[in-house]
Amino acid sequence: PNVMLLVLESFRHEIVSPALLGRLAALGARGVLAPRHYSGSNSSHLGLFSLLYSRLPLVYDVVLDAGLPTTAVDLFRQLGYRSAFVSSGGIEAWKRMDQFLGERVFDRVILHTATRAPRWKQWPDCDRQTLDSIRKLASEPGPHFIVGFLMTTHFPYPYPAGFERFAPVSHEDELPNWDQLFRARLDHDHAGAWLDAI
């Protein structure tokens, strides 16, 4: 079977509920839930590294300096899988992410990144394109190991109109600041609802 890892940037697991993220909650009810699993780090590059290498982020630079193969990709390749990394987030030399998420590691890399400033406002559309690409890849002859990395649940949590479930909400042209934690938390929930719908 195809194996897919969907990583939602800065995602809070407690919003997965029938009331807010019904599709994801239903999917979780049919599968295996790991409520005591935590990211290997609170930083994107280190969390993805930990997930794909099964190593603590303390050895991030050591492992990348040594050019060690990405454990998950290497294992699936040995089992006959084609690998793909599909994302709405850029990896171009950001904290060395290109060294373990780029074309030297994955058979295919598809990036749907924002092109206009402010980039964060385009994340919902980029995430839709990312999920469309993942669906297309999964329909091709495989098997496939696909890692998808979505950005909408990253601060400042953009989402299209119509996904507000709670108040107060942000204004479209306003970037919330770190002091507005309550509103930012609600915006995260709205961004999660958007991802659940697409």
Side-chain angles (χ1 to χ4, degrees):
N2 289 331
V3 175
M4 290 184 242
L5 291 176
L6 291 180
V7 180
L8 283 63
E9 170 67 38
S10 307
F11 187 72
R12 291 189 357 265
H13 71 89
E14 64 267 14
I15 71 168
V16 179
S17 68
L20 188 59
L21 276 68
R23 291 175 63 198
L24 193 55
L27 183 64
R30 294 193 322 258
V32 176
L33 297 177
R36 296 173 75 188
H37 171 78
Y38 294 90
S39 174
S41 174
N42 63 351
S43 181
S44 303
H45 64 296
L46 298 177
L48 283 166
F49 168 85
S50 182
L51 181 67
L52 295 175
Y53 276 95
S54 297
R55 295 176 185 258
L56 292 173
L58 296 172
V59 296
Y60 184 78
D61 287 315
V62 173
V63 167
L64 296 182
D65 288 345
L68 297 178
T70 307
T71 309
V73 176
D74 194 47
L75 174 65
F76 280 105
R77 186 169 284 130
Q78 290 175 35
L79 295 171
Y81 281 72
R82 297 188 46 157
S83 63
F85 177 73
V86 188
S87 179
S88 54
I91 58 166
E92 313 85 23
W94 172 254
K95 304 283 186 182
R96 303 179 71 179
M97 287 174 69
D98 57 320
Q99 293 181 24
F100 67 97
L101 298 174
E103 292 177 348
R104 289 183 292 162
V105 175
F106 287 88
D107 297 321
R108 290 184 73 182
V109 173
I110 302 170
L111 301 176
H112 297 286
T113 56
T115 57
R116 306 179 309 277
R119 291 182 172 211
W120 62 272
K121 286 188 177 186
Q122 296 170 63
W123 287 343
D125 188 50
C126 293
D127 279 351
R128 179 195 303 272
Q129 294 173 40
T130 297
L131 290 171
D132 288 344
S133 290
I134 290 171
R135 289 181 189 105
K136 184 174 186 269
L137 277 172
S139 70
E140 295 174 1
H144 299 280
F145 173 58
I146 302 170
V147 177
F149 184 47
L150 306 175
M151 293 299 295
T152 298
T153 50
H154 184 292
F155 183 83
Y157 321 116
Y159 56 89
F163 285 87
E164 296 89 359
R165 303 295 189 265
F166 310 102
V169 298
S170 295
H171 301 289
E172 182 176 317
D173 295 324
E174 183 180 338
L175 177 64
N177 63 51
W178 290 105
D179 295 328
Q180 298 167 309
L181 293 178
F182 178 70
R183 189 175 77 184
R185 181 177 174 135
L186 295 181
D187 286 343
H188 175 276
D189 296 356
H190 301 145
W194 157 248
L195 285 178
D196 188 63
I198 59 172

